[in-house]
Amino acid sequence: MAKGSKPSPAHGSPSTGGAANFDAASTPLPDFPIVGIGCSAGGLEALGALLSGAPPDSGMAFVVVQHLDPEHPSNLPELLQRDTPMPVVEAGDGMLVRPDCVYVIPPNKDLSLLHGALHLLDPTEKRGLRLPIDFFMRTLADDRQEKAVGVILSGMGSDGMLGLGAIKEKGGLTLAQEPSEARADSMPAGAVKAGVVDIVAPTGELVERIIAYVRHSATHLVDDVQPETGVQSALDRIIVLLRNRSGNDLSLYKPSTLHRRIERRIALLQLDGLADYVDYLRTNLQEIDILFKEMLIGVTSFFRDPAVWEFLRDTALPLLLASNPDGHMLRAWVPACSTGEEAYSLAIVFREALERIKPAGHFSLQIYATDLDVDAVDKARKACYPTNIAADLTPERLARYFVVDEGGYRVNRDIREMVIFAPQNIISDPPFTRLDILCCRNLLIYFGQALQKKVLPLFHYALNRDGILVLGSAETTGGFSDLFAPMDKKTHVFKRINQDARSPWLSFPTRPVVSALVSAPGGRPDHRDSLEHLTDQLIQQRFSPAAVLVNGDGDILYISGRTGKYLEPAAGKVNMNIHAMAREGLRDALCGSIRKALHDPAPIHLDGLQLDNDGRPHTVNITVQGLEKPDALRGRVLVVFNDVKPPPGGRRHRPSPPSDRESALLLELNQLRETLRINQEEMQASMEEARSANEELQVTNEELTTSKEELQSMNEELQTINAELQSKVDDLTWARNDMTNLLNSTEIATVFLDNEMKLRRFTTHATHLFKFIPKDVGRPLSDIVTELDYPNLQTDALAVLRTLIFNEKQVATRDGRWYRVRIMPYRTQDNVIDGVVVTFIDITTIKKLETELRSQEASRGH
C-alpha cells in the first residue's frame, strides 16, 4: 500500500473507521519491520509516550499486546489514537498487517502472526497465568525473522521474556523500557536480567532507536570493505579477536551466521561497516564479550518441538530399555545445553517412560549437559526459571517436577540430581563416550560443512551400540547415512548403525590405507579382468621397475612387479617387513634411507649397490622417496629397484682379480660412508627431537605447577565451603537446642511418628506417659508400654495420615490423670506429608474443676 493511501483517522472512529482498509487480503505486502509491544500494569502511559514519538511514515507496523480483563470490552484503541496520527484499530482475525498502522489485541484473545496476517485464538486458560505477549512475539519471530522487533514496557511478571529471546535468536531487534522509569518494572527488569534485550532506553527514545537500527541495517552492510576479499579479511580479524579473548575458534562456523550476528552489532552501534567494527572491537573488550555471547545463540525452552519428546517417551526410550531387560545405568550427553531446559526435559521424559512401561530391571539415567557459555552453565545448575515457563509445560509436569521458588519455578531435586553440567567446547575438548542417548538440537545448523563432517563421526564414536541421536528440526546427518539410520524422519531421531565406520580425523584406522584404495568396494563393478587392467599389469611386470610401498616401520603395504631378486622371505614366522626381507648388501643402506625419506620428500638415490643373487654378483640402483600426495599415501615410502646392466664386452676386457677386489672394497666403503652420513643426520634429528621433548617437558612441568596452584586454590575453596558447612551445622545445633528447650518449656508431651507409625522423636515430658528410652527410636509405637487408656491411638493416627484431618480427644490415664490428645499430619518444607505429630496436654486440673462445679450445681439443685 502506498503511504499516501493508508487509512486515516478522519475516515471515522479509530476502532471502526476505515475498517475496510484493514480487512484480510490475499496478497501479502512487501517485507517490512513489525514492532511487537508488550505491556501490563502501568503500560498505558508508556504506550502513549512510545507512540507519540513515532512518525506517521516510519514504514513500520506496531502491534500492541497488553494484559486485558477478559470479561470487559476494551477502549484501548480509542485511548491510543489520541497519542498518534497513525490509524489505531483492534486486531481482527485474518487482518493483513500494513505499515504505518497500529493494531491492538482484543480482550480474551491470543494473537498470532502468519504470513503477515493476524489471527485470533481463544486462550487455553480463561483466568490465571496467561502469556499473550510471549505467544505473539514467538509467532512474530518465526514470521518476520530479522525484521521482527520486540519491545517490553511496564508490567508485572515475566511475560515477554521468552518472546524477546525468540526474536533475538532469529536475528531481530529487542528493546525494553528503562526499568527505573517503569511504573511496574518486573517485566522490563526481568528481560534485561535474562540477557535478551539489545537496547534499554527511556520510552520516548525507543522508536527513534528502532528507526535508526532499521535504516542502518538497510544501508550500511559491509559497504566499506570491497571487494569480497576485504570482507573475508575483516571477518578473519574479528574471529582472531574472539579467539584471543575467549580461547574459542569460530572460524568453522557458517559464514552467514557470523555475518548476521556481526551486522546486528554494527547496526546497534551505528557504525559504518566491518572495518570500523574491527577497530571498535580492538578498543572495547566488553564488545568482544557481547559478540561472543551473541554467536552462541543460547535460546531454548522446555520441551521444544513437543512431537520429538513424545516420540522419545513413547517409542525410542522403550526400545532402548527393552534392549537391556536386566536393568542398566544409561548415559546421555546434551551438548550446547544453554541454560539447561533441554537436559531437564530429557530427564523428565525418561522418568515418564519408566512409569509407563514399568520395566522389571532397575534403570537410571545420568545426563551430562555441556555448553561453551560458562554463565549459561551456571544458570542451568541453579535450575531456577521464570513463571512464564508454564506456557511450555503441562500443569501435571509443572506440579510434579517443579517447586515454587523466589517468584518463579525451580526443578525439583530428583530431576536436578540426574544432570551434571560442565563447560565444554565440543570442537576441541574430548567427548563423552559410552553413551546411550545424544541430544544435540539446533547446533549443527550453525556449523559449516567441514565442522559437521567432524562432529557427526564423533557422535557415532561416542554412542553405544543402537544408541539414539536426536537432532534439531532443521538438521540431518547429511552424507553420513552409513553411520546413522532414521528412527523417525519427522522428529529427526536417529539410531546408530553398528558398523566399524570411522572418520579419518578420529585416527582410528582399521586397515592399511593402500589396501583400502586398491580393493574394489562392495557393490561396485570389478574391472580387474578388463583389457586396460591386464595391459597395465603386463607393463608393470615386464617393463616397469620393481617397487614396494612401505610404512615408517618398513612394513610392506603393496608390491609392484617382480621383487624376488631384491627381497626374499626370512626364515621362521612370516614377516612382511623390508628390513627382514632385503637381501644381503641392501639391508644396511635401506635402513637409514627409509627413515630419512619420512622427513625429507626429496628422492634418495643409492647407486651401484652390490648384492649376491644365488652366487651371481648383481648391481642395482635404488631410489627411496617419501610420499606426501595423495593424502591417503601421506607418511608412506616408495622403494624402486633398477637393475644395472654390465658394460658391453665385459667378458673380453675383464679386469684382473686384484682390480675387481679393489673396486668392490671401494664401493662397499662408499656405501658405509653414505650409511654413516645418514646415521649422523638421524642422530642430529634425534637430538633436535630430544630438545623439543625437553621443551615440552618444561611446558608440562609448568602446567603441573599451574595445576598444583589450582589444586591449592580448590583446596582453599573446599576449606571455605567446609567452614560454611560447619557454621551451618552449628546453626542447626543451636536451632535444635532451642527447639528442644522450647518443647520442654511448654510442658507438652509430644511424639513424632513416621508413615509406618514408628517412633521418630519424643520430648522429655512424653516419658511420663510412655516408657520411652533413646533406643526406642525406630520401633513401632504399639510396642511401647503406655499409661494412657487409649487403645485406638494408632488407629486414629493412621486415619489422620489417610484423611489429613486432625483428631482431638480427651483421654484418661490409669492413675486418674486426664490429657487432651491432638493428632496432626507432619508436613515437610516441601509440603510433603511424612508422618504425624501427637501432642498430650495435661488437663487434670481442668477436669477436677469441672467435677467440682458439677457437684456444686447439683447440690444447689437439691
Side-chain angles (χ1 to χ4, degrees):
M1 175 185 293
K3 293 180 181 177
S5 61
K6 62 181 176 63
S8 171
H11 292 170
S13 172
S15 59
T16 58
N21 293 322
F22 291 92
D23 288 344
S26 58
T27 303
L29 294 175
D31 203 10
F32 58 91
I34 296 180
V35 182
I37 306 171
C39 58
S40 179
L44 181 60
E45 179 181 344
L47 278 172
L50 184 146
L51 292 177
S52 63
D57 57 351
S58 65
M60 302 182 296
F62 299 85
V63 180
V64 177
V65 181
Q66 186 176 27
H67 295 171
L68 301 173
D69 189 333
E71 297 180 356
H72 293 84
S74 171
N75 61 346
L76 184 60
E78 289 83 353
L79 296 175
L80 295 180
Q81 189 65 78
R82 303 170 185 171
D83 299 310
T84 177
M86 293 184 290
V88 182
V89 297
E90 188 172 85
D93 191 38
M95 184 179 289
L96 197 65
V97 178
R98 301 179 182 276
D100 303 320
C101 298
V102 181
Y103 303 84
V104 180
I105 186 173
N108 199 30
K109 292 291 181 181
D110 282 338
L111 188 62
S112 65
L113 183 70
L114 179 64
H115 303 316
L118 298 172
H119 298 274
L120 301 179
L121 298 91
D122 292 327
T124 55
E125 298 290 339
K126 295 296 182 183
R127 290 283 185 181
L129 181 63
R130 289 175 52 191
L131 306 168
I133 302 174
D134 276 332
F135 185 81
F136 173 74
M137 287 191 176
R138 283 178 168 178
T139 64
L140 173 62
D142 291 335
D143 197 73
R144 268 313 193 254
Q145 302 285 318
E146 67 275 2
K147 289 189 178 295
V149 180
V151 181
I152 294 297
L153 303 178
S154 174
M156 299 295 293
S158 58
D159 193 12
M161 183 191 303
L162 298 181
L164 289 187
I167 291 174
K168 190 166 185 177
E169 180 187 12
K170 299 295 185 181
L173 177 66
T174 58
L175 305 94
Q177 179 184 8
E178 178 64 51
S180 61
E181 179 194 75
R183 294 183 61 183
D185 66 354
S186 296
M187 281 172 47
V192 172
K193 185 178 179 181
V196 295
V197 178
D198 294 318
I199 296 174
V200 181
T203 311
E205 300 178 9
L206 291 177
V207 173
E208 180 182 349
R209 300 289 295 272
I210 295 171
I211 294 174
Y213 173 86
V214 171
R215 290 177 178 172
H216 195 282
S217 299
T219 59
H220 291 80
L221 297 182
V222 299
D223 55 354
D224 66 326
V225 281
Q226 297 295 337
E228 186 65 25
T229 54
V231 177
Q232 185 60 42
S233 177
L235 181 61
D236 290 342
R237 292 199 296 273
I238 293 174
I239 291 173
V240 170
L241 292 173
L242 287 171
R243 185 185 63 192
N244 293 342
R245 177 71 171 172
S246 68
N248 298 290
D249 186 3
L250 304 182
S251 60
L252 295 179
Y253 275 49
K254 282 184 178 178
S256 58
T257 299
L258 301 178
H259 278 293
R260 190 162 56 247
R261 298 292 159 179
I262 291 171
E263 287 170 0
R264 284 188 78 253
R265 297 305 306 169
I266 292 174
L268 284 170
L269 297 169
Q270 299 291 289
L271 298 175
D272 287 335
L274 274 175
D276 287 350
Y277 188 57
V278 172
D279 294 337
Y280 185 82
L281 286 173
R282 296 180 66 182
T283 57
N284 295 271
L285 297 182
Q286 185 180 4
E287 176 62 20
I288 300 179
D289 297 333
I290 295 173
L291 179 61
F292 180 68
K293 291 279 188 184
E294 291 226 355
M295 293 295 184
L296 300 183
I297 318 172
V299 179
T300 183
S301 60
F302 284 97
F303 298 98
R304 194 175 188 177
D305 302 325
V308 175
W309 303 102
E310 291 175 5
F311 179 80
L312 286 174
R313 180 192 62 196
D314 301 337
T315 305
L317 287 176
L319 289 174
L320 187 61
L321 298 177
S323 63
N324 298 278
D326 297 329
H328 185 56
M329 189 188 83
L330 304 177
R331 290 162 57 89
W333 179 24
V334 183
C337 68
S338 189
T339 47
E341 289 91 332
E342 199 153 276
Y344 290 128
S345 297
L346 179 60
I348 292 172
V349 162
F350 176 77
R351 284 290 181 88
E352 293 176 346
L354 280 183
E355 293 175 359
R356 288 192 173 211
I357 62 179
K358 295 180 172 59
H362 175 72
F363 287 91
S364 62
L365 177 64
Q366 181 64 70
I367 302 174
Y368 301 95
T370 62
D371 197 275
L372 199 59
D373 188 347
V374 177
D375 294 336
V377 170
D378 290 339
K379 290 181 181 179
R381 287 197 184 107
K382 295 177 182 178
C384 294
Y385 300 96
T387 55
N388 53 5
I389 64 170
D392 301 317
L393 296 161
T394 63
E396 294 77 14
R397 283 174 172 161
L398 193 62
R400 181 170 185 182
Y401 300 109
F402 294 82
V403 294
V404 178
D405 185 20
E406 298 180 358
Y409 294 101
R410 189 180 189 192
V411 181
N412 68 22
R413 179 177 297 177
D414 290 342
I415 298 299
R416 293 202 312 268
E417 290 178 348
M418 295 173 63
V419 188
I420 296 175
F421 291 96
Q424 187 206 36
N425 188 330
I426 191 176
I427 302 171
S428 59
D429 292 337
F432 292 90
T433 57
R434 296 180 289 110
L435 302 172
D436 301 283
I437 306 168
L438 203 161
C439 184
C440 181
R441 306 182 66 229
N442 303 313
L443 173 65
L444 298 182
I445 56 175
Y446 301 111
F447 286 176
Q449 288 294 325
L451 194 52
Q452 291 186 22
K453 289 179 180 178
K454 287 186 177 182
V455 171
L456 285 168
L458 177 71
F459 288 171
H460 182 268
Y461 166 70
L463 282 167
N464 283 333
R465 179 184 181 89
D466 297 329
I468 298 172
L469 174 66
V470 186
L471 298 180
S473 58
E475 297 169 335
T476 67
T477 56
F480 294 100
S481 58
D482 56 333
L483 301 184
F484 301 98
M487 296 182 69
D488 182 67
K489 293 183 178 180
K490 181 180 179 182
T491 57
H492 294 256
V493 179
F494 299 85
K495 184 177 182 181
R496 182 188 190 273
I497 295 179
N498 301 305
Q499 65 180 37
D500 195 10
R502 313 240 191 237
S503 174
W505 80 282
L506 286 173
S507 300
F508 295 141
T510 59
R511 55 180 177 173
V513 175
V514 175
S515 300
L517 291 175
V518 299
S519 61
R524 294 187 180 179
D526 190 351
H527 299 290
R528 287 176 293 179
D529 294 333
S530 67
L531 179 64
E532 294 84 352
H533 179 79
L534 294 175
T535 302
D536 289 340
Q537 288 294 314
L538 180 63
I539 293 172
Q540 289 180 15
Q541 293 175 9
R542 295 192 180 183
F543 303 101
S544 297
V548 293
L549 184 73
V550 299
N551 61 15
D553 296 326
D555 296 326
I556 297 175
L557 304 177
Y558 185 69
I559 297 174
S560 175
R562 299 180 181 275
T563 59
K565 291 184 292 184
Y566 321 105
L567 308 175
E568 63 176 348
K573 186 178 180 180
V574 175
N575 187 355
M576 295 295 290
N577 189 284
I578 194 169
H579 302 303
M581 296 180 63
R583 291 184 180 272
E584 193 68 32
L586 304 182
R587 187 175 298 118
D588 292 338
L590 287 174
C591 180
S593 301
I594 290 176
R595 287 200 295 269
K596 182 180 179 182
L598 290 171
H599 303 289
D600 185 2
I604 300 173
H605 299 285
L606 304 175
D607 297 335
L609 299 179
Q610 298 291 323
L611 58 87
D612 186 9
N613 189 4
D614 296 332
R616 297 191 302 272
H618 189 71
T619 304
V620 62
N621 294 338
I622 297 179
T623 301
V624 181
Q625 183 171 10
L627 302 178
E628 291 189 331
K629 294 182 180 180
D631 292 340
L633 297 180
R634 185 186 299 274
R636 310 305 196 227
V637 177
L638 186 65
V639 182
V640 182
F641 304 94
N642 286 285
D643 289 337
V644 178
K645 296 182 179 180
R651 292 188 180 182
R652 293 190 298 269
H653 303 284
R654 179 182 294 273
S656 61
S659 298
D660 288 344
R661 176 63 177 168
E662 192 175 284
S663 299
L665 290 173
L666 183 60
L667 182 59
E668 186 175 353
L669 178 61
N670 291 333
Q671 294 176 5
L672 291 174
R673 285 176 176 171
E674 179 65 19
T675 303
L676 178 61
R677 185 183 64 79
I678 293 174
N679 288 337
Q680 288 176 342
E681 293 177 356
E682 291 177 356
M683 184 177 296
Q684 291 176 353
S686 299
M687 291 177 64
E688 291 295 331
E689 291 176 358
R691 291 193 190 98
S692 177
N694 184 46
E695 293 175 359
E696 291 178 359
L697 287 174
Q698 289 177 352
V699 173
T700 303
N701 185 46
E702 293 174 358
E703 292 176 352
L704 289 174
T705 303
T706 303
S707 299
K708 181 182 178 181
E709 294 173 355
E710 291 176 353
L711 287 174
Q712 290 175 345
S713 176
M714 188 178 297
N715 186 43
E716 293 173 0
E717 292 177 3
L718 290 175
Q719 290 176 353
T720 303
I721 294 172
N722 185 50
E724 292 176 358
L725 292 175
Q726 185 61 47
S727 176
K728 290 182 179 179
V729 169
D730 294 341
D731 292 343
L732 289 174
T733 301
W734 280 108
R736 181 171 181 175
N737 292 337
D738 293 343
M739 187 60 63
T740 301
N741 283 279
L742 174 64
L743 291 173
N744 290 335
S745 66
T746 60
E747 298 185 354
I748 299 175
T750 308
V751 176
F752 299 88
L753 304 176
D754 63 15
N755 290 330
E756 298 178 355
M757 297 297 108
K758 292 181 179 179
L759 183 63
R760 178 180 289 154
R761 185 175 296 174
F762 58 89
T763 62
T764 303
H765 287 81
T767 58
H768 300 160
L769 300 175
F770 297 88
K771 304 299 182 181
F772 286 142
I773 59 175
K775 293 183 179 179
D776 287 335
V777 174
R779 294 180 58 192
L781 184 65
S782 58
D783 292 352
I784 311 299
V785 177
T786 179
E787 297 293 330
L788 290 171
D789 185 14
Y790 192 179
N792 295 328
L793 174 59
Q794 185 165 339
T795 303
D796 290 348
L798 289 171
V800 169
L801 191 62
R802 185 178 65 256
T803 63
L804 305 183
I805 301 174
F806 78 91
N807 182 296
E808 185 174 317
K809 289 184 178 180
Q810 295 182 1
V811 180
T813 62
R814 294 184 177 89
D815 58 1
R817 291 176 294 158
W818 283 86
Y819 287 85
R820 180 183 293 115
V821 182
R822 174 174 291 181
I823 307 174
M824 296 175 292
Y826 182 97
R827 295 181 183 271
T828 66
Q829 289 186 348
D830 296 329
N831 199 28
V832 176
I833 303 301
D834 191 18
V836 296
V837 183
V838 188
T839 58
F840 304 87
I841 302 175
D842 191 343
I843 58 172
T844 304
T845 303
I846 298 175
K847 277 291 185 181
K848 288 181 179 179
L849 290 174
E850 287 180 356
T851 303
E852 292 176 0
L853 288 173
R854 289 194 185 97
S855 298
Q856 292 176 4
E857 290 176 356
S859 63
R860 291 196 191 100
H862 293 294

